[in-house]
Amino acid sequence: MLSSPTRVVVTGAAGFIGSHLCDRLLAGGHEVVGIDNFSDYYERRVKEQSLRTALADPKFTLMQADLVDADLRQALAGAKVVFHLAGQPGVRPSWGDHFDRYVQDNIVATQRLLEALREVPIDRLVFASSSSVYGDAEMFPTKETALPRPVSPYGMTKLAAEHLAFVYMRTFGVPATSLRYFTVYGPRQRPDMAFSRFMEAMAENQEIEIFGDGEQTREFTYVSDAVDGTIKAASAEVVGQIINLGGGSRVTVNRILDTLGEISGIKPRRRHLPAAPGEPRHTGASINLARERLGWEPRVSLRDGLTKQWEWFLAMSPKSPRVSSS
Ligand code: NAD
Ligand code: UGA
């Protein structure tokens, strides 16, 4: 656990997970350089809000830059750890012309960062990979040794980036570790993700769009747990390792909506759409390696985490529902 205060770099600092990571590192006394290009995948206003706590801290420096073409030397100088979270997320929109963005922000951006790291002696590069690399896994819970077979272009680009990190490790000694996050949720969750969309629809008394029959399962991971594991990976003996970070239980989308209905007191109105291409039917993490190598354990239950995200949503939403229609 990064014991003494140190200088670290967080790419994707203005994003959902990256902003929480910055807050936690700053609270731990570290000097944080955040890099983000404020990509337009979702509103800049949302990212600025996510960064508010970090920006108020004198130990935080923000570099607005695109990893693809930025000169990273100054940002990386003196850094001990680089947390690489910048990327183009989202499984469902990664088809068609959108693919170029995924290649640029996930593969090319990672390659440019790795090139810059050939010249900088860091202790650790922690890469934010994804459960999407597994695709439709053959075994649940899925171990890191399972053969990755992505079913979305997004998952393919995350796998390519993961391989690139290890190419630079083997060839130039970049001390890389790859974490495979499983569907992260909590306050500041991206607006395109399921829980954000469900809460938005419920607050506006709109129908909730469910892709497929709702019986698909996801291993949902609360954001503070993902951040915990990420910081632990910066100092544990895990160079060259791939480690799953999953919240500890698999749940169906239908069950999520039932629980959200109970928490909010609003009865969800459901509308089923065709299943979205590129989505695995199920995800589920074996977290034994994270337990053993990182001394990590997810702490926040799904109900508690959903409650926290709902409370955050109500506090942030200009049109908070005060409806009690159950
Ligand atoms: P996010 O979109 O909120 O954050 C990513 C940030 O990266 C954004 O602020 C964006 O502006 C920035 N960025 C994108 N391309 C960039 C570039 N070329 N140069 C500089 N900055 C760039 O996404 P998130 O949900 O916080 O995800 C963070 C990382 O974790 C991503 O790499 C994603 O693939 C991975 N991941 C997320 C989840 C999840 O459930 N949220 C699960 C698995 C993996
Ligand atoms: C999430 C992130 O968005 C990806 O960036 C990340 O890489 C991935 O997790 C991962 O674990 O690797 P996803 O699991 O699709 O992807 O996350 P959500 O958008 O929260 O969707 C969860 C489930 O809800 C999916 O089964 C999806 O089909 C369903 N869903 C989502 C709906 O039924 N309706 C919606 O409006 C949104």
Side-chain angles (χ1 to χ4, degrees):
M1 192 63 149
L2 285 181
S3 43
S4 54
T6 191
R7 181 177 158 92
V8 304
V9 170
V10 176
T11 76
F16 162 41
I17 308 171
S19 64
H20 282 283
L21 177 61
C22 289
D23 290 352
R24 184 80 72 83
L25 289 163
L26 290 163
H30 303 291
E31 190 189 330
V32 180
V33 178
I35 305 176
D36 205 294
N37 70 349
F38 290 83
S39 82
D40 61 3
Y41 183 54
Y42 60 95
E43 280 181 77
R44 183 185 178 102
R45 178 184 60 78
V46 175
K47 297 184 187 187
E48 286 172 348
Q49 177 67 33
S50 299
L51 264 185
R52 267 175 58 160
T53 311
L55 283 169
D57 192 314
K59 294 189 300 309
F60 183 71
T61 312
L62 176 65
M63 176 180 174
Q64 180 170 340
D66 192 322
L67 290 177
V68 171
D69 55 18
D71 180 346
L72 297 172
R73 280 173 298 188
Q74 202 185 338
L76 294 174
K80 292 275 176 243
V81 180
V82 176
F83 297 96
H84 178 38
L85 277 69
Q88 173 57 45
V91 178
R92 296 174 287 280
S94 61
W95 303 99
D97 292 350
H98 299 289
F99 182 61
D100 301 21
R101 277 283 291 277
Y102 286 79
V103 171
Q104 282 295 306
D105 290 342
N106 294 343
I107 305 180
V108 181
T110 300
Q111 188 265 350
R112 300 292 199 268
L113 174 65
L114 289 162
E115 280 293 323
L117 287 174
R118 287 174 62 175
E119 313 296 329
V120 185
I122 56 165
D123 291 345
R124 189 66 47 86
L125 168 69
V126 181
F127 172 60
S129 185
S130 160
S131 73
S132 303
V133 305
Y134 291 118
D136 280 309
E138 283 176 354
M139 300 275 280
F140 297 101
T142 308
K143 291 187 183 161
E144 292 84 349
T145 47
L147 185 67
R149 290 184 308 186
V151 290
S152 65
Y154 164 73
M156 185 284 272
T157 60
K158 293 301 286 187
L159 183 59
E162 192 176 279
H163 279 300
L164 263 177
F166 292 128
V167 165
Y168 279 74
M169 179 189 77
R170 289 181 209 113
T171 312
F172 301 112
V174 174
T177 295
S178 185
L179 301 178
R180 291 179 177 165
Y181 298 146
F182 282 68
T183 315
V184 183
Y185 72 102
R188 306 182 192 164
Q189 192 187 42
R190 297 192 329 257
D192 61 300
M193 292 187 70
F195 296 1
S196 290
R197 299 194 74 209
F198 295 168
M199 289 178 188
E200 190 77 38
M202 283 168 77
E204 297 188 358
N205 201 24
Q206 303 281 330
E207 284 180 332
I208 289 171
E209 296 179 340
I210 301 173
F211 300 126
D213 62 6
E215 286 301 300
Q216 66 267 44
T217 57
R218 287 289 174 277
E219 171 122 4
F220 293 100
T221 311
Y222 191 68
V223 65
S224 65
D225 284 330
V227 165
D228 252 5
T230 304
I231 294 177
K232 286 191 151 95
S235 56
E237 305 229 334
V238 289
V239 171
Q241 298 272 320
I242 294 168
I243 301 178
N244 289 338
L245 291 183
S249 59
R250 260 169 77 196
V251 188
T252 65
V253 167
N254 288 330
R255 178 83 202 116
I256 289 293
L257 285 171
D258 294 342
T259 309
L260 199 49
E262 287 161 20
I263 291 168
S264 64
I266 300 171
K267 194 172 165 49
R269 298 198 293 125
R270 307 168 194 228
R271 182 158 71 100
H272 289 271
L273 299 178
E279 295 205 303
R281 178 76 172 156
H282 304 292
T283 69
S286 161
I287 54 172
N288 287 337
L289 205 59
R291 286 192 176 110
E292 284 164 22
R293 298 297 178 97
L294 302 179
W296 175 84
E297 192 71 46
R299 298 193 183 286
V300 181
S301 71
L302 188 67
R303 179 175 280 271
D304 287 354
L306 257 181
T307 305
K308 284 180 206 239
Q309 185 170 343
W310 175 247
E311 285 167 354
W312 167 82
F313 170 79
L314 290 182
M316 295 303 293
S317 174
K319 29 186 190 240
S320 263
R322 298 295 171 210
V323 230
S324 187
S325 55
S326 52

